[in-house]
Amino acid sequence: MVAPMLLMKKISQLDNLVVPIVDEHLKPKIGMTFGNLEEAEKFYRNYGKVGGFDIRNSTTNYGKDRELIGKSFVCSKEGVLKSKSLEIRRCGTIRTNCKALIRLKLDKNNGIWSVYKFVEEHNHTITSPSRTHFLRGNREVTSVKKTLIKQFGEVNIPTNKQMAFFENSSGGFHRIGCIKTDVRNYERDLREERRGHDAQMMLDHFKSEQEKNLSFHYVYEVDEEKRLTHCFWVDGIARMNYQHFGDVVSFDATHNTNQYGLVFVPFVGVNHHCQSVFLGCGFIPNEEAKSFVWLFNKWNEAMGRPPSGMITNGLVEIVFVCAPLFKSSVIPLIQRLA
């Protein structure tokens, strides 16, 4: 009884196997040769793209002298994941213990790689030709797209609009070569790359601006661990605006940059068209009096004179300071408000 049951099980498994429908010239064959492994992987990956499945690297064999002599590429659904892993994994690839593969060996005499085993049957459904571009192995964020994504990020263009641009410029969604997840992953990699260096990048930018225009002014302080704690900067246009429209200045200390724990403080004036004009800004570590004293000192040094009046809702509810108080010194005012 055992033998017939095993036979029926094998017949059932054969009935469920799927063979990709691919032109013969695109299909690997035993004895086929390649100049190197890169060519072999490219050929098998293209076979998978046309056939509707993804591939990945598998076993690697080395000789006695540690020279690479064997390599296998398998279907991405090869192997079996444990049930716990299935609960944790959120990606679309689920292992079905698929046996489809290609194995190559190296001929040491001429350095040629040849196929010595090829299994084309899959135990899972094949992706339709219209959706093969969604397979992970067929997706790539090219260097051109990486440059564009970086530039889009600098001007705060959201990911969905980036994808709309790529779709329009590529001639269709299926021709983009990647999906929104790939773009978001690259944006994440960019953020990780900048993490810990962004303060230095900002200071380098300030230095570059100052070299181009001597009227650009910036000053900063760091703590014992060389982390940025205070920073103030103002450009030439803001300093010129201050000379004309700096009688009354507004500043707002309610902008908190949560990621870095710094408070952003912009200084704003109003021109003769009743339009807001930028008069400098800074980062401070907190809203304590000493932080505002540092910021106003640096601002006063850069502008050359204190304003006649100031409006703020940061230190008190609403404060308007008349000329006599401010012209003596801006620092006693801050200490008084604190």
Side-chain angles (χ1 to χ4, degrees), residues 79-109:
V80 178
L81 291 176
K82 296 180 180 179
S83 57
K84 291 184 178 179
S85 300
L86 286 172
E87 295 174 2
I88 297 172
R89 289 172 63 89
R90 297 178 60 184
C91 63
T93 302
I94 298 178
R95 306 286 176 84
T96 62
N97 201 24
C98 181
K99 301 299 183 182
L101 57 80
I102 183 176
R103 285 183 181 164
L104 303 106
K105 61 182 178 180
L106 174 67
D107 187 337
K108 294 184 179 181
N109 296 324

Side-chain angles (χ1 to χ4, degrees), residues 34 52 72 81 102-103 185 223 245 265 267-268 270 310 337:
F34 301 93
S72 297
L81 291 176
I102 183 176
R103 285 183 181 164
N185 288 341
D223 59 14
F245 314 114
V265 185
F267 294 87
V268 181
V270 179
M310 178 164 285
L337 291 176

Side-chain angles (χ1 to χ4, degrees), residues 191-243:
R191 288 192 297 270
E192 290 298 322
E193 182 181 333
R194 292 169 179 164
R195 191 181 300 275
H197 304 283
D198 36 13
Q200 187 59 51
M201 291 169 60
M202 181 182 72
L203 297 178
D204 290 341
H205 173 71
F206 288 166
K207 183 178 180 181
S208 174
E209 291 297 310
Q210 193 175 61
E211 291 174 351
K212 291 185 288 186
N213 189 346
L214 295 177
S215 62
F216 186 91
H217 174 80
Y218 74 100
V219 61
Y220 66 95
E221 285 187 1
V222 296
D223 59 14
E224 298 82 3
E225 299 179 1
K226 303 298 181 182
R227 293 180 300 186
L228 184 72
T229 57
H230 300 72
C231 185
F232 168 76
W233 70 96
V234 62
D235 60 15
I237 296 176
R239 298 173 84 174
M240 181 181 66
N241 284 336
Y242 183 71
Q243 300 304 317

Side-chain angles (χ1 to χ4, degrees), residues 91 136 139 141 146 149 159 162-163 178-193:
C91 63
R136 181 173 299 180
R139 306 193 317 252
V141 182
K146 287 180 179 180
I149 293 169
T159 308
Q162 295 182 37
M163 292 300 296
C178 60
I179 61 177
K180 185 185 291 187
T181 301
D182 301 320
V183 175
R184 291 191 184 279
N185 288 341
Y186 181 67
E187 290 173 334
R188 177 204 61 204
D189 294 340
L190 284 176
R191 288 192 297 270
E192 290 298 322
E193 182 181 333

Side-chain angles (χ1 to χ4, degrees), residues 230 263 284-294 315 334 338:
H230 300 72
V263 181
I284 53 177
N286 48 55
E287 296 185 54
E288 296 179 2
K290 61 181 181 180
S291 297
F292 286 105
V293 168
W294 181 93
L315 296 175
I334 302 301

